[in-house]
Amino acid sequence: MKRRPAPHPSPEPATADFQQAWGLLPVDEAAARSALWQLLDAAEAQGDADSARCAAAALLVAIAIEFADFRGLQRALKAFQREGAVVATMPTGLSATEKALALDMARLTLPLLDGTEPFGPACEAAAGRVQRGLLDTACPLAPNVRMMALKLLLDYRGQQLAQGPIEHLIALGHEIAASPGVSPAWQGRWWLLVLQNREWFGDELGTAQALQRAQGLVQRHQLPRLRFELACVEMSAALKASNLPLADRLFREIEALRPAIRPGRLPHGLRAQALYLAMGGAFAPALQRLDVLLALCAEMEVPARDVGPYQVLRADCLLALGRHEEGLALLQGQADGQQGQQRVLFDARIAVHRAAAALMAPSHGGDDLPHAAAEADALCREALQACAALRYSRFLRPLPQLAARLVEHGLRLGVATEFLRDVVHERRLQPTDPCREDWPWRLRVRALGPLQIWRDALPLAAGSSAKAQRKPLELLCLLAAHGGGPLAVSLVVDELWPSLDLDAPRASFEMAVSRLRKLLGVPDAVRVADDAVSLDPTLVWLDVAAFEGLSSKGDPGDDASRSQRARTALALYRAPLLGSQPLQGLLHTARGRLAMAHEALVRSEAERLLTRGATRDALAVLQQALLLDPLNEPLHRLLMQAHLQCGERAEVLRVFRRLQSLLAARTGLRPAEQTLALAREAGLDCD
């Protein structure tokens, strides 16, 4: 008797497993994925396309929720997109509403996971249904499943950069996240999503509020994964603000949290660490971090388009190490897999690398020098024009000094100057010589002479006598006189509010800082950290700091460059600190310190010029200095020596008579013996 083929096993056990896996997905994604892969294997072995599509849909949701472990993505996509599956017959064990929502959620993942899937009508229809399902109170969705759907919907709108719909979703999500049954982990993930969207659209207040909410959840519930993600976000902000002490602390915190984080999530932290190392000039250790990161991405089957930012960072590190050909090859390989606007962006990055390599190339002189300079100019012009067209301001992000060199070159060539000013302001780039004034500084403050302030090259009224402005301006003068600080808050309080009670000065200090920030219009320019106050040197140029930097001893360079620095420093010293304004305390001391530095620089430069035989130049330096300090007898003697060296005895006597008259009128003293000896040498009978 012929045997009948055995029937397919009943799908009911698998149905129950799917229902359990779906409910587990927002709670334990790894366990849920393991169960879903088993279900997909069983469904495909049985030829059950409907159940296979259902399992594949849940797997796509799982991959998109984490966006870290992409193993099996192509297989899940193939099973989900297979023709002929019928939603109504899917034996999922879920309600009809939940079935439809699960499939729509999977549809939303396609533009995020499948590079060939457009944001078409089918996706838009699915997005509308998911959003209506979130609002349907009759829909029997578990609270964490509802959060999962909300997260996918927000990611979908985020990829479209649709700010209006995103704002609507955030308002909706706040209510859902606060509803009973939502786990602290999902509440934290929600605030992390809000933070990322607020930051993308430049909402600083919203970003800070979302960060505060997420940090509060970490403190209350000990959520290591959320703390890890927040540390990565905070690291990026700290590097953007040039807050290296905070970045260093976050680097160590990320390192301590790494053992508690699943491998798929580690690339975020490794990238943050590599960026910190690279921006600090530690390019070899940064490359080591990136090698580990890329190995993890390979294991997690991360798509090439999502590995792109890591490869760009690696190429930047290779460039910094002088291995620019390797870096270019890496970028070119990434570009070959891109299309549309992404390909244009990679072409701009390649142009930037070529220009930067040309600027880094050593100059050998000879006949090749003009050709090399012309080639560097052409490459810089091409690269910066490409970046300006895309508004791509983050070029060479881990290499701020090299980016600044490229910007300097572009400003000198007159290329995209408005765009380059925006790049400097956004990234707080500093010129290769931080003393130079002709740079797009947000603020410039002159305190050598009457106080003057410029914001974005426009003058601000600095001489207001209004009571509300007096203390903020005194604080600014105190900081400017000390090269921007940092100054201990206790020192500032004692100087500006010496007669107030113990508790009142701190409140007065905080009010002065707040008003100074408002007056300057660049709040980040005034820093208060570690119980000290300072002006941010990436935002503020100070003539005092530039003068002291240029006039400091032991500067490198040849004789000509040292002379140029001295001349620039002398030109900055327009008058004593804060001009003729009466000063007391720390400001009076600072005025004396700067006057002594000015005299020492004048003497040094004049003596150097006299030694070289450049007598006329020495005379000009001394005469200009004596206009600022007419009672300075040592400088008068040097001036007399210079005239003697020129054989101008009549001028020696004229200088002596003027000094003699000034001393008698203002001090009642007579010239020193050294000065009298010079006058006698010129033929004057001083006895």
Side-chain angles (χ1 to χ4, degrees), residues 437 444-454 480 541-543 571-572 574 578:
E437 187 178 2
R444 289 187 296 123
V445 179
R446 285 184 172 270
L448 294 171
L451 181 67
Q452 294 178 326
I453 310 168
W454 289 266
W541 177 88
L542 295 161
D543 61 349
L572 288 172
R574 302 172 298 143
L578 299 174

Short mmCIF file of all heavy atoms in Angstrom, two decimals, residues 437 444-454 480 541-543 571-572 574 578:
data_model
loop_
_atom_site.label_atom_id
_atom_site.label_comp_id
_atom_site.label_asym_id
_atom_site.label_seq_id
_atom_site.Cartn_x
_atom_site.Cartn_y
_atom_site.Cartn_z
N GLU A 437 45.83 89.29 13.84
CA GLU A 437 44.53 89.94 14.02
C GLU A 437 43.63 89.79 12.80
O GLU A 437 42.40 89.78 12.93
CB GLU A 437 44.73 91.42 14.34
CG GLU A 437 43.46 92.15 14.70
CD GLU A 437 43.68 93.60 15.06
OE1 GLU A 437 44.85 94.06 14.99
OE2 GLU A 437 42.71 94.30 15.41
N ARG A 444 37.10 90.76 18.79
CA ARG A 444 38.45 91.34 18.94
C ARG A 444 38.37 92.40 20.02
O ARG A 444 37.48 93.26 19.99
CB ARG A 444 38.94 91.95 17.63
CG ARG A 444 39.28 90.92 16.56
CD ARG A 444 39.92 91.55 15.33
NE ARG A 444 39.00 92.44 14.65
CZ ARG A 444 39.24 93.73 14.39
NH1 ARG A 444 40.37 94.29 14.79
NH2 ARG A 444 38.36 94.46 13.76
N VAL A 445 39.29 92.33 20.97
CA VAL A 445 39.30 93.26 22.10
C VAL A 445 40.67 93.90 22.19
O VAL A 445 41.68 93.21 22.32
CB VAL A 445 38.97 92.54 23.43
CG1 VAL A 445 39.02 93.53 24.59
CG2 VAL A 445 37.59 91.87 23.35
N ARG A 446 40.69 95.23 22.13
CA ARG A 446 41.93 95.99 22.31
C ARG A 446 41.88 96.68 23.66
O ARG A 446 40.93 97.42 23.96
CB ARG A 446 42.10 97.04 21.20
CG ARG A 446 42.53 96.46 19.86
CD ARG A 446 42.76 97.59 18.86
NE ARG A 446 43.34 97.10 17.62
CZ ARG A 446 44.65 97.01 17.39
NH1 ARG A 446 45.50 97.38 18.35
NH2 ARG A 446 45.10 96.57 16.24
N ALA A 447 42.90 96.43 24.48
CA ALA A 447 42.98 97.08 25.80
C ALA A 447 44.27 97.87 25.95
O ALA A 447 44.46 98.54 26.96
CB ALA A 447 42.89 96.03 26.90
N LEU A 448 45.16 97.80 24.97
CA LEU A 448 46.36 98.64 24.97
C LEU A 448 45.96 99.98 24.37
O LEU A 448 45.96 100.17 23.16
CB LEU A 448 47.49 97.96 24.18
CG LEU A 448 48.01 96.67 24.82
CD1 LEU A 448 48.96 95.94 23.88
CD2 LEU A 448 48.68 96.97 26.15
N GLY A 449 45.61 100.89 25.25
CA GLY A 449 44.94 102.13 24.87
C GLY A 449 43.50 102.03 25.35
O GLY A 449 43.13 101.10 26.09
N PRO A 450 42.63 102.95 24.99
CA PRO A 450 41.23 102.87 25.41
C PRO A 450 40.60 101.56 24.96
O PRO A 450 40.91 101.04 23.89
CB PRO A 450 40.57 104.07 24.71
CG PRO A 450 41.70 105.02 24.46
CD PRO A 450 42.91 104.16 24.20
N LEU A 451 39.70 101.00 25.77
CA LEU A 451 39.07 99.72 25.46
C LEU A 451 38.25 99.83 24.18
O LEU A 451 37.43 100.74 24.02
CB LEU A 451 38.17 99.30 26.63
CG LEU A 451 37.45 97.96 26.46
CD1 LEU A 451 38.45 96.81 26.48
CD2 LEU A 451 36.41 97.78 27.57
N GLN A 452 38.48 98.87 23.27
CA GLN A 452 37.72 98.80 22.03
C GLN A 452 37.32 97.34 21.80
O GLN A 452 38.12 96.43 22.04
CB GLN A 452 38.54 99.30 20.84
CG GLN A 452 38.89 100.78 20.91
CD GLN A 452 39.74 101.22 19.73
OE1 GLN A 452 40.56 100.47 19.24
NE2 GLN A 452 39.53 102.45 19.28
N ILE A 453 36.08 97.14 21.32
CA ILE A 453 35.56 95.79 21.09
C ILE A 453 34.94 95.74 19.70
O ILE A 453 34.21 96.66 19.30
CB ILE A 453 34.48 95.43 22.13
CG1 ILE A 453 34.97 95.70 23.56
CG2 ILE A 453 34.06 93.97 21.99
CD1 ILE A 453 33.86 95.63 24.60
N TRP A 454 35.24 94.64 18.98
CA TRP A 454 34.58 94.38 17.70
C TRP A 454 33.96 93.00 17.74
O TRP A 454 34.56 92.05 18.25
CB TRP A 454 35.58 94.41 16.54
CG TRP A 454 36.12 95.75 16.20
CD1 TRP A 454 35.66 96.62 15.26
CD2 TRP A 454 37.28 96.38 16.79
NE1 TRP A 454 36.44 97.75 15.23
CE2 TRP A 454 37.44 97.63 16.15
CE3 TRP A 454 38.17 96.01 17.79
CZ2 TRP A 454 38.46 98.50 16.48
CZ3 TRP A 454 39.19 96.88 18.12
CH2 TRP A 454 39.33 98.11 17.47
N ALA A 480 41.07 90.92 29.92
CA ALA A 480 41.91 91.34 28.79
C ALA A 480 43.31 91.69 29.25
O ALA A 480 44.30 91.37 28.57
CB ALA A 480 41.26 92.53 28.08
N TRP A 541 40.13 87.39 20.04
CA TRP A 541 41.50 87.89 19.85
C TRP A 541 41.71 89.07 20.79
O TRP A 541 40.86 89.97 20.87
CB TRP A 541 41.72 88.34 18.42
CG TRP A 541 43.09 88.92 18.18
CD1 TRP A 541 44.22 88.26 17.83
CD2 TRP A 541 43.46 90.31 18.27
NE1 TRP A 541 45.28 89.11 17.71
CE2 TRP A 541 44.85 90.38 17.97
CE3 TRP A 541 42.78 91.47 18.58
CZ2 TRP A 541 45.54 91.59 17.97
CZ3 TRP A 541 43.47 92.67 18.59
CH2 TRP A 541 44.84 92.72 18.27
N LEU A 542 42.83 89.05 21.53
CA LEU A 542 43.16 90.10 22.48
C LEU A 542 44.50 90.71 22.11
O LEU A 542 45.48 89.99 21.90
CB LEU A 542 43.24 89.53 23.90
CG LEU A 542 41.95 88.99 24.50
CD1 LEU A 542 42.27 88.06 25.66
CD2 LEU A 542 41.07 90.13 24.97
N ASP A 543 44.55 92.04 22.06
CA ASP A 543 45.84 92.66 21.73
C ASP A 543 46.88 92.39 22.82
O ASP A 543 48.07 92.25 22.52
CB ASP A 543 45.68 94.15 21.45
CG ASP A 543 45.15 94.95 22.64
OD1 ASP A 543 44.71 94.34 23.63
OD2 ASP A 543 45.18 96.20 22.58
N ALA A 571 53.70 97.57 17.19
CA ALA A 571 52.56 98.26 16.59
C ALA A 571 51.28 98.04 17.41
O ALA A 571 50.39 98.89 17.42
CB ALA A 571 52.35 97.76 15.16
N LEU A 572 51.20 96.90 18.10
CA LEU A 572 50.03 96.62 18.93
C LEU A 572 49.98 97.51 20.17
O LEU A 572 48.90 97.79 20.69
CB LEU A 572 50.02 95.15 19.37
CG LEU A 572 49.71 94.11 18.29
CD1 LEU A 572 49.93 92.70 18.83
CD2 LEU A 572 48.27 94.27 17.81
N ARG A 574 49.65 100.49 21.35
CA ARG A 574 49.25 101.84 20.96
C ARG A 574 49.43 102.83 22.09
O ARG A 574 49.66 104.00 21.87
CB ARG A 574 47.78 101.86 20.54
CG ARG A 574 47.40 100.92 19.40
CD ARG A 574 45.88 100.89 19.24
NE ARG A 574 45.24 100.38 20.44
CZ ARG A 574 44.09 100.84 20.91
NH1 ARG A 574 43.47 101.84 20.30
NH2 ARG A 574 43.56 100.32 22.01
N LEU A 578 44.67 100.41 28.88
CA LEU A 578 43.46 101.21 29.07
C LEU A 578 43.74 102.71 29.02
O LEU A 578 43.01 103.52 29.59
CB LEU A 578 42.76 100.84 30.38
CG LEU A 578 42.30 99.37 30.44
CD1 LEU A 578 41.74 99.03 31.81
CD2 LEU A 578 41.26 99.08 29.36
#
